[in-house]
Amino acid sequence: MALAVMLLNGASFHGGCCRPKVLLSSLGPLLNNSKLYSSYRRPGTEPEKKLYWQNVDFSFKKAIDHLKTQLSLLKKETQDYLQGPGGHPLSQHLLEQTRVLWQFRSQEDLNKWVISSDVEIGGKSKVYIKLGRNNQAAVLYGTLNTEVPRDGETQYSGYCSMRSRPAVGSFNRKKYYDWSNFNSLYLRVRGDGRPWMVNIYTDPYFSHQKDDLYTYFMFTRGGPYWEEIQIPFSKFFLSSRGRVQDNQHPVWLDKASIRTLGFTIGDKVDGPFQLEIDFIGLLNDRAHKEKFAYEAYDKNTPV
């Protein structure tokens, strides 16, 4: 309890209006049934009536264990920072041509991802994830159903997705991916011939940009053979809530932007689907010179 009081007092420098959010982020592992990852609420459902502090388990032992874990993470982050970018020497960082971000070899690798479907809005699609044969890949499978829920508000349905969990540092600080040394996303997948959308989620500067994401299409050819897909970052276009935006600009690949990566299927075709992913990586293709594939213009051009 003393630690909780200390955290309450320590959050005051963020301002009174932000105090609940700071406390929740600090006591992340102590929350029961936390819904911090998604704030969506179905139309017609009542909002949560519990106060934020009623979901906190004030356990002194858990608080001490959590503090030890966070201090060890902080120590490792400091050592990596002193060694060089990403924990590698500067010479190795500058000459790096490829990097594997995620590969799926154990249940721990699967736990770094979150699956979701239109069940959140009352739909009937189903999605699951498991390890493939010999624990060599992630298998994302399920059934797509485009039947619209009868709630009087929802107009479209029929999607399933897989999204990486946001990276966090010590004391639940936000961490971002620095992909500035690379110009392409590189994947080894095996699909069933259905198209997918690859989504890059960035951290918005303003609250009204929270639904913005960068998207490009991944077409699988089906069959028993694996395929290696390279998607240049210059091909990703900006969209918001499923609508392509007029004002386009390239993905910001620096370390203050990218939060998560995701895959979505929503081709309006009812039936089963399956996608196997061996690994997801980055590539610096020296032959690719394109900066941005789409027209960028100034809407306020002076006359």
Side-chain angles (χ1 to χ4, degrees):
M1 181 67 73
L3 180 61
V5 174
M6 181 183 66
L7 290 174
L8 278 170
N9 294 333
S12 59
F13 65 89
H14 288 275
C17 63
C18 301
R19 186 174 296 180
K21 296 182 179 180
V22 174
L23 177 62
L24 285 175
S25 62
S26 302
L27 299 180
L30 307 183
L31 294 179
N32 295 327
N33 301 324
S34 175
K35 298 181 180 180
L36 293 178
Y37 188 79
S38 175
S39 59
Y40 178 80
R41 181 166 54 87
R42 282 191 59 190
T45 59
E46 295 185 359
E48 183 72 26
K49 295 183 178 180
K50 284 187 177 181
L51 298 176
Y52 66 92
W53 55 267
Q54 291 178 335
N55 291 326
V56 180
D57 179 12
F58 291 100
S59 172
F60 183 75
K61 184 179 183 302
K62 287 184 179 180
I64 294 300
D65 293 340
H66 178 56
L67 182 61
K68 290 180 180 179
T69 302
Q70 299 307 315
L71 289 176
S72 62
L73 287 176
L74 180 61
K75 179 181 177 181
K76 185 179 184 305
E77 290 175 359
T78 304
Q79 292 174 346
D80 292 344
Y81 179 80
L82 295 177
Q83 186 175 4
H88 304 289
L90 182 59
S91 58
Q92 179 180 346
H93 176 74
L94 295 176
L95 298 175
E96 192 176 20
Q97 298 295 313
T98 60
R99 180 190 300 174
V100 176
L101 297 173
W102 295 278
Q103 61 180 155
F104 303 93
R105 299 294 183 268
S106 65
Q107 185 62 39
E108 183 180 355
D109 296 330
L110 295 184
N111 293 339
K112 298 177 182 178
W113 294 77
V114 176
I115 56 175
S116 61
S117 69
D118 54 25
V119 172
E120 298 177 347
I121 61 173
K124 297 182 179 181
S125 299
K126 298 180 180 180
V127 61
Y128 310 94
I129 188 172
K130 66 178 182 179
L131 284 174
R133 182 178 299 179
N134 299 325
N135 296 338
Q136 292 298 311
V139 181
L140 185 66
Y141 65 101
T143 305
L144 204 66
N145 191 325
T146 57
E147 182 179 347
V148 178
R150 299 179 180 179
D151 56 14
E153 296 187 22
T154 306
Q155 298 180 358
Y156 304 98
S157 185
Y159 70 86
C160 295
S161 66
M162 167 183 175
R163 180 176 177 180
S164 64
R165 294 182 182 272
V168 293
S170 58
F171 296 98
N172 283 10
R173 293 178 297 107
K174 287 184 179 180
K175 289 184 67 176
Y176 303 93
Y177 296 108
D178 186 1
W179 296 351
S180 55
N181 273 5
F182 307 93
N183 58 15
S184 300
L185 194 67
Y186 197 81
L187 311 96
R188 186 172 187 262
V189 302
R190 180 166 61 182
D192 55 2
R194 302 184 68 163
W196 289 76
M197 291 185 292
V198 183
N199 305 314
I200 296 177
Y201 301 84
T202 59
D203 197 26
Y205 288 103
F206 304 101
S207 59
H208 69 274
Q209 296 175 327
K210 63 182 178 63
D211 296 315
D212 290 0
L213 55 89
Y214 297 88
T215 304
Y216 196 67
F217 301 101
M218 179 179 70
F219 299 96
T220 60
R221 61 189 177 205
Y225 301 107
W226 289 89
E227 55 182 315
E228 297 182 356
I229 298 177
Q230 177 182 341
I231 306 177
F233 290 123
S234 61
K235 301 293 185 182
F236 283 84
F237 54 87
L238 179 63
S239 63
S240 179
R241 296 187 179 183
R243 290 178 170 84
V244 180
Q245 300 300 291
D246 292 332
N247 189 13
Q248 294 288 328
H249 57 80
V251 184
W252 296 330
L253 299 174
D254 59 9
K255 57 185 178 182
S257 178
I258 296 178
R259 289 281 284 158
T260 63
L261 180 75
F263 302 88
T264 301
I265 183 171
D267 55 1
K268 300 182 180 180
V269 178
D270 292 351
F273 64 86
Q274 178 172 304
L275 177 68
E276 296 179 71
I277 306 176
D278 184 16
F279 68 83
I280 303 169
L282 301 172
L283 172 68
N284 184 12
D285 186 1
R286 298 294 179 87
H288 183 75
K289 303 296 183 182
E290 184 181 56
K291 298 298 183 182
F292 192 49
Y294 310 103
E295 179 182 11
Y297 58 91
D298 186 4
K299 294 185 294 185
N300 298 320
T301 304
V303 180

